[in-house]
Amino acid sequence: MATMITSECINCGACEPECPNTAIYQGGVEWQAPDGTMHPALSNDVFYIVPEKCTECVGFHDHEACAAVCPVDCCVPNPALPETHEVLLARARALHPGESIPDDAPSRFHRAGAAPAPAAPAAAAPAASAAAAPAPPAAAPVAAAKPAARVAAGAPVEKPVAAPRAPARPARTFAGELATDFDALLSELGAPRRRSGRLLPLAVLAAAQGLLGALPAAEKQRLEAAVADRRFFDAQRATAANVFLDLLLYPIALVSFAVATGRVGLFTLAVRPWVFWGFAAAVVEACWRLRENLFRGVPLPATRLRGAFYGLVFYPLGRLVLLLAGPRGAESGVAFDGFYAGREPFDEKLERARRYGEVYRVVDRDDAYIVEVEFPRALPPSSLGEQLELPAEMPDYDYELELKDGTFLVHGRVVDPRVRKLTGAAPAFPSAFTTRVALHDPVVGFRHRYHDKTLEVILPKAQGRL
């Protein structure tokens, strides 16, 4: 079947230079037939393939080159012009008399896995011509990977709603990778172990949770991630301890103020209103800090654990704790949720950061580094993606892992050919990224696993396994 271009053509021009027979012309441009005569193009709006010059790339490629580069899949076989391998091969030789094209030249009909094509219906030719014409040869096989579209010229092309799910990724190994199983190595590491020199700061930290609970929510989460052992610091426990501590601190602070200013005597009944208002202020502040939990029924783990109004006073203490008890790693972050790009849908900032390899977490333990890198999960919003009918889920990236000069490198790359077309059209969508993780201690190698768009890597340290 000669290839045709449907009305879905967007005039991108990608197909024209790929044709080995110069059979593709832009609308309104004359084309030269094999006999040398000039003819006008049949379409003034889109690119057009001259049937008399199309060989479906037989003799040059084992696929249609125009269909391979078309971003909207509008180069499809024309069911009205069925042609065999022999006919197309003879046409290729006629169009290129100076070239030697053997019988076993590349052809989409000879690809592995090709299935025989159905014979053309007899009703396609007039009855009189059918009687005079010789019997057509047996239909040649066609590639099963791209079924013929049963459409008339200029009609829209029916495409699948979603691409078939890719097969499971085979296990890969890289230079420097350990032969140990990932789960076995993880169990060998055991619970996070701490050097004895850090036990004193951690013990002080556990005792000071009531004060550190006054810190802002982000600072408490940073402390919890750095300590990594909730026996010594837990954001929820610290916030609750600070709320109860305020029930004592606020009355004491107001009574101290009243006594210092000479308003009341310390051991008189006149201090009772100051105690009451101090207690009331602590209750009101607690209700404001935990309002989602108290008034909306949101579970405490999902509640924003706000700090007290005086929390910034203890900010230097929080910095000191991070210096002494951590940080035991690093974690990426994003500045805001996302944005609207003109008329495009909302693009989540976290997903944009994943496409640059910026969403990762590093846990620095005494015996190993544990690295988690999140790969992109969703395709970026793009009108081209809608035209290609791409699924919302991002296909798996190809990746390479490397240890080099005290740095662990993760190279991610888009391999799906249709998705790669989006990298030049969608905003903030690079075709590849590199994540660099600096390692301050020497390691003996690494072991990785990839599942659910997340790359997990264990890098055992050469020394320090206490």
Side-chain angles (χ1 to χ4, degrees):
M1 297 180 182
T3 306
M4 57 179 271
I5 297 178
T6 70
S7 60
E8 290 190 345
C9 175
I10 60 175
N11 283 317
C12 68
C15 58
E16 183 179 11
E18 300 295 329
C19 181
N21 306 313
T22 63
I24 302 177
Y25 298 85
Q26 194 168 13
V29 179
E30 291 185 331
W31 56 274
Q32 185 176 9
D35 58 3
T37 59
M38 301 299 296
H39 300 272
L42 299 185
S43 174
N44 293 323
D45 299 325
V46 297
F47 276 79
Y48 173 74
I49 298 179
V50 178
E52 291 81 0
K53 298 180 70 176
C54 177
T55 65
E56 300 184 41
C57 293
V58 169
F60 299 93
H61 306 292
D62 63 354
H63 61 277
E64 297 93 331
C66 57
V69 300
C70 180
V72 292
D73 290 341
C74 67
C75 298
V76 299
N78 188 348
L81 297 174
E83 294 176 310
T84 64
H85 167 77
E86 290 73 14
V87 171
L88 297 173
L89 184 62
R91 181 179 300 160
R93 290 168 175 168
L95 292 173
H96 304 272
E99 299 184 19
S100 176
I101 303 178
D103 293 338
D104 59 349
S107 169
R108 75 178 185 87
F109 295 92
H110 295 162
R111 272 189 309 194
S129 300
V142 299
K146 191 175 184 68
R150 299 295 181 181
V151 297
V157 179
E158 297 294 335
K159 296 191 287 287
V161 175
R165 184 174 294 274
R169 180 194 295 270
R172 302 186 58 187
T173 57
F174 304 92
E177 186 143 18
L178 304 175
T180 309
D181 180 72
F182 184 93
D183 292 323
L185 180 59
L186 185 62
S187 62
E188 179 184 344
L189 296 178
R193 287 168 283 185
R194 305 294 179 184
R195 295 185 178 93
S196 58
R198 301 179 66 235
L199 292 179
L200 180 59
L202 290 173
V204 174
L205 174 63
Q209 288 194 75
L211 295 177
L212 295 176
L215 291 171
E219 195 67 15
K220 285 184 286 191
Q221 291 177 356
R222 191 175 293 111
L223 274 173
E224 186 178 81
V227 175
D229 191 336
R230 296 196 174 184
R231 295 177 301 170
F232 299 103
F233 185 84
D234 180 85
Q236 297 180 39
R237 184 166 59 243
T239 303
N242 180 253
V243 168
F244 285 103
L245 183 62
D246 287 346
L247 295 176
L248 296 176
L249 291 180
Y250 282 23
I252 292 174
L254 284 182
V255 169
S256 300
F257 170 77
V259 172
T261 57
R263 299 173 184 271
V264 296
L266 179 59
F267 300 103
T268 64
L269 295 179
V271 300
R272 290 183 298 179
W274 297 92
V275 174
F276 171 79
W277 290 115
F279 186 84
V283 171
V284 170
E285 186 191 58
C287 293
W288 175 79
R289 292 169 63 178
L290 304 174
R291 55 184 179 270
E292 292 87 358
N293 175 259
L294 296 176
F295 304 117
R296 299 180 185 175
V298 178
L300 189 60
T303 302
R304 180 175 175 80
L305 304 174
R306 298 175 179 84
F309 81 94
Y310 59 89
L312 293 180
V313 176
F314 292 98
Y315 186 81
L317 178 61
R319 296 284 92 186
L320 179 62
V321 170
L322 281 177
L323 179 63
L324 297 177
R328 299 293 290 168
E331 188 169 1
S332 61
V334 293
F336 51 91
D337 293 334
F339 72 101
Y340 288 91
R343 296 183 178 179
E344 301 292 353
F346 185 77
D347 191 10
E348 185 184 2
K349 180 67 185 298
L350 181 62
E351 192 60 35
R352 286 165 55 88
R354 289 190 181 111
R355 298 196 291 267
Y356 283 95
E358 297 174 352
V359 181
Y360 62 90
R361 182 170 182 260
V362 183
V363 179
D364 182 2
R365 298 166 48 127
D366 294 334
D367 50 6
Y369 293 98
I370 299 180
V371 180
E372 294 182 2
V373 181
E374 296 186 15
F375 279 60
R377 288 165 164 73
L379 286 169
S382 171
S383 56
L384 179 57
E386 296 176 359
Q387 294 177 12
L388 293 174
E389 297 286 349
L390 293 176
E393 181 181 359
M394 178 76 75
D396 283 337
Y397 277 40
D398 186 25
Y399 61 88
E400 299 287 337
L401 307 180
E402 180 183 6
L403 269 174
K404 182 178 181 182
D405 299 331
T407 303
F408 183 68
L409 303 175
V410 180
H411 307 283
R413 184 173 65 91
V414 178
V415 293
D416 189 292
R418 296 196 303 165
V419 177
R420 287 187 66 88
K421 296 174 184 179
L422 290 181
T423 60
F429 186 16
S431 59
F433 69 81
T434 298
T435 300
R436 295 175 173 85
V437 179
L439 307 176
H440 303 291
D441 298 323
V443 298
V444 298
F446 66 91
R447 185 66 185 176
H448 88 282
R449 69 179 177 187
Y450 177 89
H451 68 96
D452 193 24
K453 309 294 186 184
T454 301
L455 176 71
E456 297 178 280
V457 185
I458 302 176
L459 300 101
K461 294 183 179 180
Q463 297 177 352
R465 296 191 178 189
L466 304 177

